[in-house]
Amino acid sequence: MHTKLFIPGPVEVREDVLSKIALPQIGHRTKEASELQRRISENMQRVWNTKDEIILSTSSGSGLMEGAIRSCTGKKAAVFSIGAFGKKWYEIARANGIEADIFESNMGDISDPNLMDKALSRGKYDLVAITHNETSTGIANPMEEIAQVIKKYPDLVFCLDMVSSAGGHKVNLDQIGIDIAITSSQKCLGLPAGISLCSLSKKAIERAKIVKNRGYYFDLLKLYDHIIKKDYQYPSTPSISHMFALDYQLDYILNVEGIENRYQRHLDMAKIVRDWARDKFQIFGNEQHLSRTVTTIANTRNINVEDLNNGLKERGMMISNGYGDLKEETFRIAHMGDTQVEDINELLNNINDILKI
Ligand SMILES: *Cc1c(COP(=O)(O)O)cnc(C)c1O
């Protein structure tokens, strides 16, 4: 029996999307490949509300996080972390020999815009890395408020990890002032893992020009120059199969479901899971800033999550344990991608039944 995934990536992928992965290959130096990539870029610009160029990478999102922080930090990076994935920005910087400071919030809280402003006002940094939707704690940063800070620092390059929110929780990149937004295929976009995307602003491109050791595979300037000069083709061979599926799925998101409907469905599912969690357990973290794509639940009944998952598996479903430092204290239910309200209700009914709650 197939196990339906309610984990925060990889997510369930619709049959029609999966079938695109199996289409015959095309040459990556052909006109069709250029057109495929251009269409993906234009549609992703619509999803993200940006005029900035879109770069594709045949890697998971971590690759582009590495590319962003390495290609665009000249002096020093400021990382504002609200959980395990925020820390990842810092680890990536250090592993690449890039100077960085990390400012960590308490688990379950947001990055405080005032503290952010204070840290940046010292003038030591030229790149800022933030997480939009922290998948470990189930918290979404308040981007409208953070935008007020971003506006005060026009020389800094702002990078936003949107791996678990792009396509599920709206951020208007150009309005907020994001220079590099990053996402992966296997979360709210509802595709298999293996491809990731980022936006790249003019400011980020200019910055990369003065950074010396940008690496090779994830050198964002090289990728950008290549797609501009070679009509949207890449220096190395991209996963054409993923591009077929992504092209198909972006058309579905924008023209069949509708992006605003998709955002609303994510919020509807989130509200159902939150209500259930409040009723049966407790929600982890700051209730004012809950994620719309994944809910982190405080394990107040001290259930054994592995046992629960074994029970769910017999019924063809799977949820997620806590992540990192929260592994034992919490568990997580993802409501992202093409999961529907009915799927969520079915999952919660089965959990109630298994736990007899
Ligand atoms: C999943 C996730 C990542 C890691 O992305 P990969 O595609 O697995 O490399 C980074 N940040 C957040 C917020 C995530 O949810």
Side-chain angles (χ1 to χ4, degrees), residues 8 60-63 65 85 88 131 133-135 161 163-164 184 186-187:
S60 76
S62 303
M65 289 170 78
F85 289 102
K88 206 173 163 110
T131 313
N133 188 74
E134 177 52 65
T135 318
D161 173 349
V163 172
S164 63
S184 307
Q186 77 278 13
K187 307 226 174 160

Side-chain angles (χ1 to χ4, degrees), residues 129-293:
I130 319 169
T131 313
H132 176 220
N133 188 74
E134 177 52 65
T135 318
S136 61
T137 57
I139 294 295
N141 258 322
M143 294 314 300
E144 303 284 332
E145 290 166 41
I146 289 174
Q148 302 313 312
V149 181
I150 293 177
K151 284 187 176 59
K152 291 175 74 173
Y153 299 93
D155 295 334
L156 306 192
V157 169
F158 283 86
C159 303
L160 188 63
D161 173 349
M162 289 189 66
V163 172
S164 63
S165 58
H169 184 172
K170 187 175 189 170
V171 174
N172 188 325
L173 293 190
D174 287 355
Q175 224 168 55
I176 304 291
I178 299 302
D179 295 295
I180 307 178
I182 295 164
T183 199
S184 307
S185 53
Q186 77 278 13
K187 307 226 174 160
C188 303
L189 292 175
L191 299 158
I195 204 163
S196 51
L197 308 98
C198 75
S199 66
L200 194 64
S201 74
K202 295 262 167 347
K203 194 206 294 178
I205 294 161
E206 290 310 311
R207 170 65 58 68
K209 287 179 185 168
I210 60 162
V211 173
K212 284 198 187 71
N213 291 306
R214 298 186 303 271
Y216 188 85
Y217 192 66
F218 297 114
D219 175 355
L220 295 189
L221 183 59
K222 190 170 80 177
L223 291 168
Y224 173 80
D225 280 345
H226 207 277
I227 64 166
I228 296 304
K229 284 189 199 126
K230 304 277 163 123
D231 196 19
Y232 285 91
Q233 294 181 1
Y234 283 86
S236 51
T237 323
S239 173
I240 295 283
S241 304
H242 280 89
M243 288 166 71
F244 285 146
L246 179 57
D247 182 37
Y248 174 82
Q249 178 70 336
L250 287 174
D251 179 63
Y252 171 87
I253 290 171
L254 291 164
N255 304 319
V256 180
E257 180 172 28
I259 186 73
E260 294 300 332
N261 293 337
R262 191 175 181 86
Y263 292 139
Q264 185 60 46
R265 176 170 54 77
H266 277 80
L267 189 57
D268 291 344
M269 294 190 296
K271 283 180 175 165
I272 293 169
V273 176
R274 291 173 195 167
D275 283 345
W276 174 84
R278 284 188 196 105
D279 184 29
K280 309 287 187 189
F281 291 86
Q282 257 174 39
I283 295 183
F284 179 83
N286 184 339
E287 288 251 1
Q288 304 304 311
H289 298 284
L290 297 178
S291 163
R292 298 176 177 198
T293 66

Side-chain angles (χ1 to χ4, degrees), residues 264-333:
Q264 185 60 46
R265 176 170 54 77
H266 277 80
L267 189 57
D268 291 344
M269 294 190 296
K271 283 180 175 165
I272 293 169
V273 176
R274 291 173 195 167
D275 283 345
W276 174 84
R278 284 188 196 105
D279 184 29
K280 309 287 187 189
F281 291 86
Q282 257 174 39
I283 295 183
F284 179 83
N286 184 339
E287 288 251 1
Q288 304 304 311
H289 298 284
L290 297 178
S291 163
R292 298 176 177 198
T293 66
V294 57
T295 298
T296 299
I297 298 146
N299 186 5
T300 49
R301 287 176 185 265
N302 248 321
I303 59 160
N304 183 319
V305 178
E306 201 181 320
D307 287 349
L308 171 58
N309 246 340
N310 287 336
L312 282 170
K313 188 154 201 262
E314 287 170 19
R315 301 168 186 226
M317 290 165 232
M318 179 183 181
I319 60 166
S320 189
N321 52 14
Y323 190 96
D325 297 343
L326 300 171
K327 196 170 172 114
E328 305 298 332
E329 300 159 48
T330 64
F331 61 98
R332 295 172 299 159
I333 296 176

